[in-house]
Amino acid sequence: SPTFALLGRAIGQAGTVIAGGGPGQESRPTPCTSWDVRDLVSHVVDEVHRFARVTAGRGVVPAAGPLGPLVDWVDAYRDAARALLAAWSAPGVPDSAANWLMGQQLTELAVHAWDVAVSTGQSTELDVEVGEAALAWGRDNLRPESRGDEASGAHVGPAVPVPDDAPLYDRLAAFGGRTPRCVACLRGSVGSSPPSCRSPPSAAAPPADAPTPADAPPPPAARRGAAQSVAASQVPRTAR
């Protein structure tokens, strides 16, 4: 299934960007104005663990708190990624919700890969197919009532206008409430409505009326094989 393959690529891409951070960057600002880089990466790791539990049909546990040194981030993310891949590889994931969950998880990971990349000075020219799938899923599923600033308790910031020919991940970031390529936003000085990077309600479970794409996920055996491939080749083992 292309959806599962792209999810694996989104998992690997986020891991590569996290591993690309450098020492001393933990306290740098991010597009999520209430978080520094350490907070952001801690959120991503916690979110992937939550995705794994939701995919496996288990309850969500509270966040573990900020991560330690940079090298620990890579190990923590790799462990979370393996748990998510294992959850998708297990039998019993209901096909009725699988495609929606894959799309939601892919979108969160694609947007946060951009967040981490721009915060740590890395390239934001990321996986095109992952970015296109994330933008399409967001446009189909993100409800207006989920948008607003952090002070209002909203989960996603208001969309930021960008040119139609802006780079793909700039358009994705702007749709997610970020201001692409804007140094001022990393200093918390863009307007009075900074973006929120909190997980949307969909991170817990898909709504009952969530649309399901026509392509069904592969059977568990196929997912197991793909997951083993991703775990072996796409999740970084050490920070650069």
Side-chain angles (χ1 to χ4, degrees), residues 100-207:
W100 193 93
L101 285 171
M102 284 183 187
Q104 192 265 335
Q105 294 171 10
L106 177 149
T107 301
E108 287 286 318
L109 287 168
V111 173
H112 283 322
W114 182 91
D115 289 332
V116 176
V118 77
S119 303
T120 55
Q122 299 181 64
S123 172
T124 56
E125 299 298 319
L126 302 169
D127 190 306
V128 171
E129 289 184 89
V130 169
E132 289 174 342
L135 188 55
W137 188 93
R139 287 171 171 167
D140 287 344
N141 292 277
L142 182 58
R143 294 171 171 81
E145 57 268 25
S146 295
R147 291 188 180 274
D149 60 25
E150 285 185 305
S152 71
H155 301 282
V156 181
V160 175
V162 291
D164 291 341
D165 61 351
L168 171 61
Y169 275 81
D170 283 9
R171 285 182 278 130
L172 175 62
F175 183 80
R178 282 79 165 154
T179 303
R181 305 189 186 282
C182 180
V183 175
C185 73
L186 296 183
R187 297 172 181 165
S189 59
V190 174
S192 59
S193 299
S196 171
C197 289
R198 309 297 178 185
S199 302
S202 56

